[in-house]
Amino acid sequence: MTSFSAKVAEPADKTRQVVFVVYPDIVLLDLVGPLQVFSHARDPETKINGYACAVTSLGGGMIDTNTVVSIPSEPASHYLSKQIHTLIVVGGDGANTVMNDARMLETVNALAAGAKRVCSVCSGALVLAAAGLLNGRRAVTHWDDCKTLESCFPEVTVEVDPIYIQDGNVWTSAGITAGIDMALAVVAEDLGRRSALRVARSMVTHMARAGGQSQFSPVLRRQLLDSTGRFEHLHHWIAENLGRDLRVEELAAQVNMSARNFARLYTGQMGLTPAKAVEAIRIEVAQDLLGTSEKTIKQVAAHCGFNDEERMRRAFMRTLNVSPTDYRRGFRAK
């Protein structure tokens, strides 16, 4: 294992204490992304670093990540009596174990009780939820964990698409790099938008990314809903026949059902109407073409059965909150 030295900044006047909570098998970027944001942020008045950062774990010591790098940490108990401005629980596969660890949950609750703000990155939301800190709140996590968060913690209102959500003094963020977006938003709230923009510029990243994390997960989400594979062939057929008039009667014929019965069964299992499913697949294929092909926007719209650019633009804005042009600009393969 490779490791790096802990450099814990000592709080100065007006410096805000940020405490990260880690555990074995975290996603390294869940930690170092937000950590880098806070380490870059300068107070506009004092011109010094606006935050003092500490990395803690239940017992302290070296913590393995999901990479070859392990990280040093302080015992979380060292911060139970200190004033914490922002508490951040990071994510990773280890969250599935930690969410059932009574000692860890007690520690997170104790730290949160003395914190002005509580945050999670990625699947760290599972830990906050298990500690009861998300009860009655809106929250988001990595799209691959949203279903777990929703099913295990019905008191939490789970939203799949946002990059991050602020509900009162509790912030949750989506998958991995979304922790950077959330940290920049936190800096903007604490130090002002100008300070956050300076950090974003120095890190060569966007202050606020267009669209939500639904841009990255539609196929897997459909597979999860269609766990028995009942409509798998139909979905492949739709993707290969986007130029056809894909009315419900045409779709029903592919699965040997009446239009009425098919529409009822499909909507009940997939959570959206056949028409909305066709539109979603048109958008997925368009996303792929915009990112990987030299086709013009007009050609992509025609290929995917939108017929015209404006109809495709409206579908993108309604579903992804980003235009086809902006999507291509942000995600095209170089």
Side-chain angles (χ1 to χ4, degrees):
M1 279 286 190
T2 304
S3 64
F4 57 84
S5 302
K7 292 184 179 179
V8 180
E10 292 300 323
D13 291 343
K14 298 187 68 175
T15 302
R16 299 151 183 83
Q17 180 69 64
V18 178
V19 174
F20 290 89
V21 178
V22 299
Y23 43 83
D25 204 15
I26 63 164
V27 171
L28 184 60
L29 190 56
D30 280 7
L31 169 65
V32 298
L35 178 60
Q36 197 66 63
V37 170
F38 292 117
S39 298
H40 271 262
R42 301 288 171 183
D43 189 293
E45 294 181 10
T46 64
K47 306 303 181 185
I48 64 173
N49 196 299
Y51 300 91
C53 297
V55 178
T56 71
S57 64
L58 190 58
M62 300 302 296
I63 300 294
D64 290 341
T65 73
N66 68 336
T67 73
V68 297
V69 176
S70 59
I71 58 172
S73 67
E74 300 179 79
S77 58
H78 288 182
Y79 289 85
L80 291 175
S81 59
K82 295 186 179 181
Q83 186 174 13
I84 299 173
H85 186 273
T86 299
L87 178 71
I88 303 177
V89 178
V90 304
D93 287 344
N96 293 292
T97 299
V98 169
M99 63 187 278
N100 297 303
D101 185 327
R103 283 187 60 218
M104 185 62 152
L105 298 181
E106 288 173 7
T107 300
V108 169
N109 258 314
L111 291 169
K116 179 179 179 181
R117 178 191 291 122
V118 178
C119 308
S120 65
V121 180
C122 196
S123 56
L126 295 173
V127 181
L128 291 189
L133 296 170
L134 298 183
N135 288 350
R137 297 185 184 273
R138 297 165 52 242
V140 67
T141 185
H142 190 287
W143 51 263
D144 202 18
D145 293 307
C146 282
K147 199 168 187 65
T148 299
L149 182 61
E150 186 175 44
S151 60
C152 292
F153 305 102
E155 304 91 347
V156 182
T157 301
V158 181
E159 297 187 16
V160 177
D161 195 48
I163 294 294
Y164 64 85
I165 289 176
Q166 176 186 7
D167 190 332
N169 70 329
V170 178
W171 299 56
T172 53
S173 64
I176 309 179
T177 57
I180 296 174
D181 299 78
M182 180 183 71
L184 287 168
V186 165
V187 171
E189 181 171 89
D190 291 343
L191 305 179
R193 183 172 174 81
R194 187 181 297 275
S195 292
L197 284 168
R198 287 197 186 101
V199 176
R201 189 159 51 241
S202 71
M203 293 179 64
V204 197
T205 188
H206 294 287
M207 177 65 191
R209 284 186 284 176
Q213 67 169 341
S214 64
Q215 297 172 78
F216 308 101
S217 60
V219 175
L220 181 58
R221 178 174 173 78
R222 189 162 56 244
Q223 289 173 344
L224 288 171
L225 290 170
D226 186 25
S227 57
T228 63
R230 183 174 194 172
F231 299 115
E232 183 177 2
H233 171 76
L234 174 64
H235 294 145
H236 286 303
W237 182 85
I238 292 172
E240 293 172 358
N241 293 273
L242 293 177
R244 299 179 64 146
D245 183 4
L246 298 177
R247 299 185 184 185
V248 66
E249 292 81 7
E250 182 80 1
L251 304 181
Q254 294 299 316
V255 290
N256 298 314
M257 292 184 185
S258 69
R260 182 177 180 180
N261 191 39
F262 164 71
R264 179 178 60 81
L265 289 176
Y266 188 92
T267 303
Q269 182 163 334
M270 302 303 296
L272 75 172
T273 65
K276 286 293 185 183
V278 169
E279 181 181 78
I281 294 173
R282 291 191 199 279
I283 290 172
E284 291 166 33
V285 175
Q287 286 176 268
D288 182 59
L289 291 174
L290 289 169
T292 62
S293 79
E294 297 299 322
K295 290 180 181 291
T296 65
I297 301 291
K298 183 177 181 178
Q299 289 171 331
V300 171
H303 177 93
C304 297
F306 285 109
N307 298 326
D308 61 70
E309 297 174 66
E310 178 57 23
R311 183 181 171 195
M312 183 168 77
R313 190 194 69 79
R314 289 198 303 269
F316 265 62
M317 292 302 299
R318 182 170 57 250
T319 305
L320 304 177
N321 196 31
V322 62
S323 71
T325 300
D326 286 340
Y327 182 90
R328 166 165 274 179
R329 185 180 298 120
F331 297 99
R332 186 165 189 171
K334 305 300 184 185

